[in-house]
Amino acid sequence: MKLKGMEIYGYGKWENIKIKQLNDFHCFYGQNEAGKSTLMSFIHSMLFGFPSKKGNERNYKPKNSSQYGGKLIFTLPDGHEAMIERVKERTPDEVNVVLSSGRSGGSTLLEELLQGMDQPLYRAIFSFDLFDIQNVQSFSKEDLGHFLFSSAVVGTDGILKAEQYLQKQLDLRFKPSGTKPVLNSGLKELKKAYENLKKAEKTNNLYKERTEKKEELIYNNELLEQEVEQLEGMLSSLRKWFTVEEVYLHYLSLLDEESQLDVDEFPIDGLKQLEAIQQSKEVLEDQRNELIMKRSTLDEKLMNAGLQKQILENRAEIEAVCELNTVRENQVQTKNEWQLEIKALEEELQHMSDKLHMQISDEEILSFDTSMFQKELISNVMKKKSRLSDRKVQLDEESETIRTELNGLENKINESRKKLLSREERANILKQITTFEQKESHHQRLTEINVNIQLLTEKHKQAITKDKRSQKIEYMKISSLLLLFIFIGIWGFFEASFLIQALAIGGICITFISSFFKQKAVYSSGIKDELDYLRQQKVVLEKQEPIAAKEQVDEWKQQIERDKEQEAEVAEYARRLDYVNSQYEKIIAAYEVWEGEMREVDSKIDLIAEPYKLNKSTMKNQLLDAFLLIEEMKGTIRKRKIKKAKLDDLSQSITNIEEKLSHYFSLVVIEPRSYADGVIQLKDIIDKERNKLANFEKNKEIRESIQSDITIIDEKIANREKHIQSLLEEAGVSSIIAFKEKGMAAKRKQAIKEELRTEKLKLNMTNLSQETLNKYVELRPTEEQIKEYQISIDTKKERITKQQEILHHLSYEIKQLEEGGIYAELLHKYKQLKAEWNELAKEWAVYATAKSLLSETVNTFKEEEFPKILKKAERYFSDLTLGQYKRIFYDSDKDHLLLEHKEGMFFEPRSLSQSTAEQLYISLRLSLAEIVFHRYQLPFIIDDGFVNFDHKRLEEVMRVLRGKEEQIIFFTCHKGMLQSFNGDEVIDLSELQTATSF
């Protein structure tokens, strides 16, 4: 499984965070308090569950987010993806797992994906931080070797701690020569209890008699105390009765009076409700009379308003016409501006006509073709003519350059040919060189033969010695075989076995025969033949003629090489001359093509310019400029035409507005000096009428509001009358006077209930039941009964005191007997101590068994898996220490590791430096994961684990981690560590927090 991405809903300081595309080798960088540990804890929580409140782990519940949790995205080994989501809720199964194959589930599916891996095992194997690594130096020198061995077995110091804990528990319970352990002290106490038990058997009968007498007295005393308690209870009840007698009698009289009042149904607080309703009704009637007077005053104002309906009816049109005066003034100004613009356009047209040197009408200009197609056609023709002119200049320059280059090449070829050797000179020199090389090869061969003859002579001497040694060994073998077969023959003779004798004779014959067929001088014969051949070759070569001088031959070779270089130079100049001639021919052909294209372009220009009636000078060189000027003239003519049309419309609009203003001037009967003055007078008249209308509408609105208030008050008064009637009906009376009388009776009944409640509380304080109170009302007890109860109580208490004195005496006697120990008690104590000792012994056996099983498990692991782990750890440790250490051994006698230095010395882990011990720890962890836990394929999570490494060892550990198949996720606050990662392999937590904040 490889972590591909994650999303945090809320976890510690992280909220609404998404991280995508994690690599196989990835780093999270951030300063202190940046959230690295929180992010690491988030991965653990998503895989194995949130930290519990009972545990020591920190709680990362978010402060601002409503959701506590998130999800992880993993890539499985089969290529599918798995989404693991946890949100802290109250449901039992808070994890949700969804696979890309369509399968989904909860904790069961997650356990299947993790293959049974739990959080402690994951932290021990695949997740470690700076504290885990630096914890190496927290152990004593004696415990460091055991700790590293334990780390190689399960990834942590768990085995070391378990062994120490089990041994401590065993020592607390039992030591062979100890006194303080619980089993030792318990056994001593058990022996003492047994001795006391034997002594108590003698005094057992007397103790039993005194004990039975004591129990009888205790029983009698308990009966008397119960009788005293009953009498005291009765006495207390009588005394309480005398304190509440008057209260209870008054309580009974109130009950009688309550039963006589016949008030079954009456509204709650009926009298108060009636009084409040009547007061509210009187206030509403006063408000109604005041509103009626205001309504009359407003009716009079509305009748005398004096509005001019004709002006008000046409008010909107008059105001619109007044606003149009501003429009009219703007239009007059615009009219003057347009007249100036039309004049400017006519002058511009005359100027453009002068540029073209022609006088033609507007209709003729508008008829000219100035379409986009025609414009593009003219533009393309003129561009082509321009390109042809540029091409002519280019061809002239190229022609001149090539003619110059041709002359130069011809001169160089003539000069180079003069320097070449003649054919006769060249052939004579080559012949002399060939003769020299043949003679030189014979001399080299003769030298080689002399060297080989010397070597073979030495080999031949060695081979003769070897052949002699081989023959001697062979003779010894044959002699041994002959002796063996002779011995077998003699043994067969004495045993009278012809078969054995035959076998012995056959063996002797075969041995003799094989000795004759053995090859002689196996090693020296081949070397001698080769040596004779070389000596013959030497004689032949020594008869050859001596060779010429080497300096003369070297000069001939240099002369031949210079001649070859000169020939190559002549050939290169000739090839270049052919190429330049071909280029010159191409330029001649290009001239011909240019002349044809230029004639074609001139004919097109003549054809295009004919409809525009242009002179020839303009037509040849400035056709496009003339076309653009004609196009501009057409646009200017159209603009002038449009402006004239708009000017006519504008004049008509001004006339219409002036006619409307004159109409409304006559309607309100005014004669203004100007249109602006008339508009001002119209607005004043309209404002006055508007104010009159506003006052009229306001008074009308106030009258309608008053009328609405009067209607509402009438409804409220009616509601009050209905409420009064409902109260009368609820009380069952027909008049207000009868309602008040019945209300007084209901009030008295309520007062009686309150008084009864008070008296009831007083009676409850005595704790006397209703039955007891009624009984005392009937019996009417006196003070004499109290005295009789008191006398009976005192008599019984005296008897109890006397019996207690007797009990005290018996207790003293029993105590005297108990000082020697009572048999039953001592027997019970003995059995109890024995049972406790047995339980402690069972606990000791459990711890001893656990320690034995742990030792057996560790021994099995040492024999089967531990050698593989050490072998793998050796390679890692050698790489991480740059070859300083070669091997790791396990010392079974001392039960810890030994390290072999490259110089052959051996070290214990306690002798290592801080960083080297940490590198040994990391090597063991990596090898343990690879050898024992390889099937899990979970990502490694490392939190700042290498701060004590120098730069070389840091580079090496990073190289080792990058080469692993498992995914490596690294957390660091050291910026220098980032040099070991590529750009896409680093996530800066500060940028992550900024980029994903909401």
Side-chain angles (χ1 to χ4, degrees):
M1 293 172 59
K2 293 185 179 179
L3 184 60
K4 182 180 179 182
M6 64 182 77
E7 181 176 355
I8 306 177
Y9 306 149
Y11 196 88
K13 69 180 290 183
W14 297 113
E15 297 177 9
N16 300 322
I17 299 296
K18 289 184 179 180
I19 301 174
K20 299 180 180 179
Q21 298 300 328
L22 293 179
N23 299 307
D24 290 350
F25 196 67
H26 213 93
C27 177
F28 288 92
Y29 166 74
Q31 298 179 357
N32 294 333
E33 303 294 331
K36 301 186 296 300
S37 299
T38 305
L39 201 58
M40 188 173 175
S41 175
F42 170 75
I43 297 174
H44 290 161
S45 298
M46 294 300 101
L47 288 174
F48 305 106
F50 295 100
S52 62
K53 295 181 180 179
K54 298 180 180 178
N56 295 326
E57 294 186 64
R58 178 181 171 186
N59 191 343
Y60 287 95
K61 186 175 182 180
K63 296 181 179 179
N64 300 323
S65 176
S66 59
Q67 283 189 310
Y68 179 21
K71 63 182 178 182
L72 302 177
I73 307 296
F74 281 93
T75 301
L76 302 179
D78 59 1
H80 290 95
E81 289 187 357
M83 184 277 288
I84 302 173
E85 181 182 34
R86 282 187 194 268
V87 178
K88 186 68 173 177
E89 296 176 350
R90 295 183 179 178
T91 55
D93 191 3
E94 60 190 14
V95 64
N96 181 32
V97 182
V98 179
L99 305 183
S100 59
S101 60
R103 186 182 175 191
S104 62
S107 58
T108 303
L109 180 55
L110 178 58
E111 186 175 354
E112 179 183 337
L113 292 177
L114 297 176
Q115 300 179 7
M117 174 76 69
D118 57 6
Q119 187 170 8
L121 184 58
Y122 181 78
R123 284 181 179 272
I125 304 302
F126 296 99
S127 177
F128 52 92
D129 54 17
L130 180 62
F131 175 78
D132 294 332
I133 296 176
Q134 292 186 341
N135 196 33
V136 171
Q137 292 301 324
S138 67
F139 290 90
S140 65
K141 294 183 178 180
E142 291 74 16
D143 291 339
L144 181 58
H146 299 287
F147 166 74
L148 290 173
F149 166 73
S150 178
S151 299
V153 175
V154 295
T156 66
D157 59 342
I159 290 180
L160 175 61
K161 291 181 178 178
E163 286 182 339
Q164 292 174 348
Y165 174 77
L166 291 173
Q167 188 61 47
K168 183 179 179 181
Q169 294 300 321
L170 290 172
D171 292 341
L172 286 174
R173 283 160 176 78
F174 179 74
K175 285 184 178 180
S177 60
T179 57
K180 293 184 179 180
V182 290
L183 284 175
N184 297 73
S185 60
L187 185 60
K188 184 177 180 181
E189 189 176 356
L190 187 62
K191 290 179 180 179
K192 186 177 179 181
Y194 181 75
E195 293 173 356
N196 293 335
L197 179 65
K198 291 299 181 182
K199 293 178 181 179
E201 288 181 354
K202 299 177 181 179
T203 58
N204 187 37
N205 294 331
L206 181 61
Y207 179 81
K208 185 176 181 181
E209 180 183 345
R210 294 291 187 270
T211 304
E212 289 176 353
K213 180 66 175 175
K214 181 180 178 181
E215 290 177 354
E216 182 181 355
L217 288 173
I218 291 172
Y219 177 73
N220 292 334
N221 267 357
E222 288 177 353
L223 292 177
L224 288 173
E225 287 175 354
Q226 290 177 1
E227 292 176 1
V228 169
E229 185 178 357
Q230 290 177 358
L231 290 171
E232 287 179 345
M234 294 172 65
L235 180 61
S236 176
S237 297
L238 279 174
R239 287 173 176 169
K240 288 179 181 179
W241 163 252
F242 286 124
T243 59
V244 296
E245 182 178 4
E246 294 181 359
V247 174
Y248 188 64
L249 293 175
H250 182 244
Y251 179 77
L252 293 176
S253 65
L254 289 174
L255 288 175
D256 184 54
E257 184 181 357
E258 183 184 18
S259 62
Q260 293 178 2
L261 290 173
D262 186 15
V263 183
D264 297 330
E265 296 181 357
F266 193 80
I268 300 173
D269 294 334
L271 293 176
K272 291 182 179 179
Q273 291 186 47
L274 179 64
E275 183 179 358
I277 292 170
Q278 287 179 336
Q279 290 178 357
S280 175
K281 182 181 176 183
E282 290 175 359
V283 172
L284 290 172
E285 288 177 347
D286 292 341
Q287 291 177 355
R288 183 175 180 277
N289 294 331
E290 185 179 354
L291 289 173
I292 290 173
M293 292 177 63
K294 288 181 178 180
R295 185 181 64 183
S296 300
T297 303
L298 288 172
D299 287 341
E300 184 177 354
K301 288 182 179 180
L302 292 173
M303 291 294 293
N304 301 323
L307 299 174
Q308 297 184 24
K309 293 183 179 180
Q310 188 176 9
I311 294 174
L312 292 173
E313 288 174 356
N314 295 288
R315 183 183 62 184
E317 295 179 1
I318 294 172
E319 289 177 345
V321 171
C322 290
E323 293 299 327
L324 285 176
N325 183 57
T326 304
V327 176
R328 184 193 67 82
E329 291 176 352
N330 292 334
Q331 287 178 345
V332 170
Q333 184 177 359
T334 303
K335 179 180 178 181
N336 296 331
E337 292 174 356
W338 285 359
Q339 287 174 346
L340 294 174
E341 289 178 4
I342 291 171
K343 184 177 181 182
L345 289 174
E346 289 176 348
E347 292 176 354
E348 186 177 354
L349 282 172
Q350 183 60 42
H351 179 68
M352 285 187 285
S353 179
D354 294 340
K355 281 185 178 181
L356 290 173
H357 302 287
M358 62 180 185
Q359 296 294 329
I360 52 177
S361 63
D362 294 346
E363 289 74 14
E364 286 179 324
I365 293 173
L366 291 174
S367 65
F368 289 161
D369 183 7
T370 57
S371 63
M372 293 296 295
F373 174 77
Q374 188 70 6
K375 183 178 181 180
E376 186 176 1
L377 180 62
I378 294 172
S379 177
N380 291 337
V381 170
M382 298 306 293
K383 286 178 181 179
K384 189 172 183 180
K385 184 173 182 180
S386 176
R387 285 197 301 271
L388 289 173
S389 300
D390 296 339
R391 179 61 176 161
K392 176 67 166 56
V393 174
Q394 183 181 359
L395 287 173
D396 292 340
E397 292 175 354
E398 290 177 356
S399 176
E400 183 63 27
T401 302
I402 288 174
R403 281 197 298 270
T404 303
E405 189 174 0
L406 283 172
N407 295 330
L409 287 172
E410 289 174 351
N411 294 331
K412 287 179 180 179
I413 289 171
N414 294 329
E415 292 175 359
S416 297
R417 282 176 176 170
K418 293 177 182 178
K419 297 177 182 180
L420 290 175
L421 294 173
S422 64
R423 290 184 180 181
E424 292 78 8
E425 291 174 342
R426 184 182 182 90
N428 187 28
I429 292 172
L430 288 173
K431 182 179 179 180
Q432 294 294 332
I433 291 172
T434 303
T435 302
F436 171 80
E437 288 177 350
Q438 288 176 354
K439 292 180 180 180
E440 188 179 27
S441 64
H442 290 162
H443 179 70
Q444 291 175 352
R445 176 63 178 162
L446 182 61
T447 304
E448 291 175 359
I449 287 172
N450 288 329
V451 173
N452 290 334
I453 287 172
Q454 291 177 1
L455 293 174
L456 286 174
T457 302
E458 293 295 327
K459 285 185 178 180
H460 185 256
K461 292 178 181 179
Q462 294 174 2
I464 290 171
T465 304
K466 196 171 184 182
D467 285 340
K468 291 178 179 179
R469 192 184 302 114
S470 175
Q471 289 174 3
K472 186 176 180 181
I473 293 171
E474 193 65 34
Y475 292 148
M476 291 176 66
K477 288 181 180 178
I478 292 171
S479 300
S480 300
L481 288 173
L482 286 172
L483 290 173
L484 177 63
F485 286 123
I486 290 169
F487 175 76
I488 292 172
I490 294 170
W491 177 60
F493 175 76
F494 285 109
E495 293 291 331
S497 174
F498 294 104
L499 179 61
I500 295 175
Q501 293 177 12
L503 288 173
I505 293 169
I508 292 170
C509 294
I510 292 170
T511 303
F512 274 114
I513 293 169
S514 63
S515 64
F516 287 111
F517 285 99
K518 287 291 181 178
Q519 186 177 359
K520 306 297 182 180
V522 175
Y523 299 102
S524 61
S525 61
I527 297 175
K528 189 174 183 305
D529 294 340
E530 188 175 354
L531 187 60
D532 293 339
Y533 173 75
L534 289 175
R535 286 170 177 168
Q536 292 174 4
Q537 291 290 322
K538 178 180 178 182
V539 172
V540 173
L541 291 173
E542 286 176 346
K543 295 179 180 180
Q544 297 290 335
E545 296 178 0
I547 60 176
K550 189 173 185 302
E551 292 77 7
Q552 182 65 38
V553 175
D554 291 339
E555 184 179 354
W556 289 339
K557 287 182 178 181
Q558 291 176 4
Q559 192 173 0
I560 293 296
E561 288 298 324
R562 287 194 296 271
D563 192 61
K564 287 180 180 180
E565 291 175 1
Q566 199 67 33
E567 284 182 347
E569 186 177 353
V570 172
E572 179 62 27
Y573 286 150
R575 285 194 296 273
R576 180 63 183 168
L577 182 63
D578 294 339
Y579 173 75
V580 173
N581 281 326
S582 64
Q583 293 297 110
Y584 187 72
E585 292 174 357
K586 289 179 181 179
I587 291 173
I588 299 300
Y591 268 117
E592 296 174 355
V593 172
W594 176 84
E595 291 175 353
E597 290 179 353
M598 183 59 78
R599 285 193 298 272
E600 183 181 354
V601 167
D602 290 338
S603 62
K604 284 184 179 180
I605 290 173
D606 294 339
L607 183 62
I608 292 170
E610 185 177 357
Y612 297 100
K613 300 180 181 179
L614 298 172
N615 57 40
K616 291 184 179 181
S617 61
T618 303
M619 175 183 68
K620 292 293 182 183
N621 300 318
Q622 298 178 344
L623 178 60
L624 182 59
D625 294 336
F627 175 83
L628 293 175
L629 196 58
I630 291 171
E631 185 179 26
E632 187 178 356
M633 289 178 69
K634 287 180 70 174
T636 304
I637 291 169
R638 291 194 183 98
K639 283 183 184 179
R640 186 184 63 182
K641 187 175 182 181
I642 292 169
K643 284 288 184 183
K644 286 183 176 181
K646 287 183 177 180
L647 184 62
D648 295 339
D649 295 338
L650 190 63
S651 300
Q652 184 62 40
S653 175
I654 292 169
T655 303
N656 293 337
I657 293 171
E658 290 175 349
E659 289 177 355
K660 288 181 181 180
L661 286 171
S662 299
H663 169 70
Y664 288 113
F665 290 162
S666 62
L667 181 64
V668 297
V669 191
I670 59 174
E671 295 181 358
R673 293 189 300 274
S674 64
Y675 287 106
D677 183 51
V679 167
I680 292 171
Q681 293 183 31
L682 278 175
K683 286 183 178 180
D684 290 340
I685 294 170
I686 290 171
D687 289 339
K688 290 178 181 178
E689 293 301 318
R690 185 185 292 111
N691 291 333
K692 290 181 182 179
L693 180 62
N695 291 331
F696 181 83
E697 294 293 337
K698 183 177 179 182
N699 292 331
K700 186 177 179 181
E701 184 178 352
I702 293 171
R703 185 190 182 286
E704 291 175 354
S705 177
I706 291 171
Q707 184 60 43
S708 175
D709 292 341
I710 292 171
T711 304
I712 292 170
I713 290 172
D714 289 340
E715 292 176 355
K716 289 181 179 180
I717 292 171
N719 290 334
R720 301 296 187 277
E721 292 176 349
K722 288 180 182 179
H723 196 178
I724 293 171
Q725 189 61 35
S726 66
L727 288 174
L728 296 177
E729 291 176 355
E730 186 176 354
V733 297
S734 57
S735 65
I736 294 176
I737 297 173
F739 181 84
K740 289 181 178 181
E741 291 175 353
K742 192 170 183 178
M744 294 302 293
K747 188 175 182 181
R748 175 56 188 162
K749 189 172 183 178
Q750 184 64 27
I752 290 172
K753 286 183 178 180
E754 291 294 331
E755 196 170 352
L756 284 171
R757 189 179 299 109
T758 303
E759 299 298 327
K760 184 70 174 176
L761 289 173
K762 293 178 181 178
L763 293 172
N764 289 338
M765 292 175 65
T766 63
N767 294 324
L768 296 175
S769 65
Q770 187 71 33
E771 183 180 356
T772 303
L773 292 171
N774 291 333
K775 182 179 73 172
Y776 285 149
V777 170
E778 293 177 359
L779 296 176
R780 295 289 179 173
T782 62
E783 295 289 339
E784 295 296 328
Q785 291 179 343
I786 294 176
K787 292 179 181 180
E788 292 175 358
Y789 284 140
Q790 188 63 50
I791 292 170
S792 178
I793 290 169
D794 293 340
T795 302
K796 292 182 183 297
K797 284 185 176 180
E798 288 178 1
R799 288 179 60 189
I800 290 171
T801 303
K802 291 179 180 179
Q803 289 182 0
Q804 284 179 344
E805 291 177 356
I806 297 170
L807 276 172
H808 181 71
H809 180 69
L810 287 173
S811 298
Y812 178 76
E813 292 182 357
I814 292 169
K815 184 178 180 182
Q816 293 296 323
L817 294 173
E818 284 179 345
E819 287 180 356
I822 303 172
Y823 178 77
E825 182 180 350
L826 292 173
L827 179 61
H828 174 72
K829 183 179 180 181
Y830 171 73
K831 290 183 178 180
Q832 183 178 1
L833 289 173
K834 187 177 182 180
E836 291 176 355
W837 193 89
N838 288 334
E839 289 297 325
L840 291 173
K842 288 180 182 179
E843 289 182 8
W844 180 88
V846 169
Y847 284 110
T849 304
K851 186 178 179 183
S852 176
L853 290 174
L854 180 61
S855 299
E856 290 179 6
T857 303
V858 170
N859 290 333
T860 303
F861 186 86
K862 289 177 185 177
E863 296 173 359
E864 296 179 0
E865 299 294 338
F866 193 52
K868 300 177 185 176
I869 293 174
L870 289 184
K871 194 68 177 177
K872 193 69 178 177
E874 282 178 358
R875 184 172 64 83
Y876 283 136
F877 189 52
S878 177
D879 291 342
L880 296 184
T881 59
L882 304 176
Q884 293 295 314
Y885 292 87
K886 298 191 298 182
R887 299 186 64 189
I888 303 174
F889 297 96
Y890 172 65
D891 188 347
S892 59
D893 295 333
K894 297 182 180 179
D895 195 26
H896 65 191
L897 303 177
L898 287 176
L899 310 171
E900 183 182 359
H901 196 265
K902 68 177 183 179
E903 297 178 355
M905 296 180 291
F906 291 89
F907 295 93
E908 294 182 357
R910 64 185 181 181
S911 304
L912 299 177
S913 66
Q914 167 81 20
S915 60
T916 306
E918 292 175 4
Q919 288 152 14
L920 176 59
Y921 174 78
I922 292 169
S923 301
L924 293 172
R925 286 286 291 266
L926 294 177
S927 59
L928 177 64
E930 187 169 343
I931 299 300
V932 182
F933 299 94
H934 59 87
R935 66 186 180 90
Y936 288 99
Q937 296 183 352
L938 294 171
F940 277 92
I941 300 178
I942 304 173
D943 186 5
D944 258 344
F946 316 128
V947 295
N948 290 323
F949 293 12
D950 58 39
H951 70 280
K952 292 184 178 179
R953 295 194 177 185
L954 177 61
E955 291 176 359
E956 189 61 27
V957 74
M958 286 300 182
R959 184 193 65 77
V960 170
L961 292 176
R962 188 178 286 274
K964 292 189 67 63
E965 295 181 357
E966 294 85 357
Q967 184 181 24
I968 307 295
I969 299 176
F970 199 82
F971 293 84
T972 184
C973 63
H974 300 280
K975 204 162 189 178
M977 301 288 289
L978 303 184
Q979 297 176 359
S980 303
F981 297 88
N982 299 326
D984 59 344
E985 294 175 344
V986 178
I987 293 179
D988 192 333
L989 295 183
S990 61
E991 297 177 0
L992 175 67
Q993 188 172 11
T994 303
T996 56
S997 59
F998 288 85

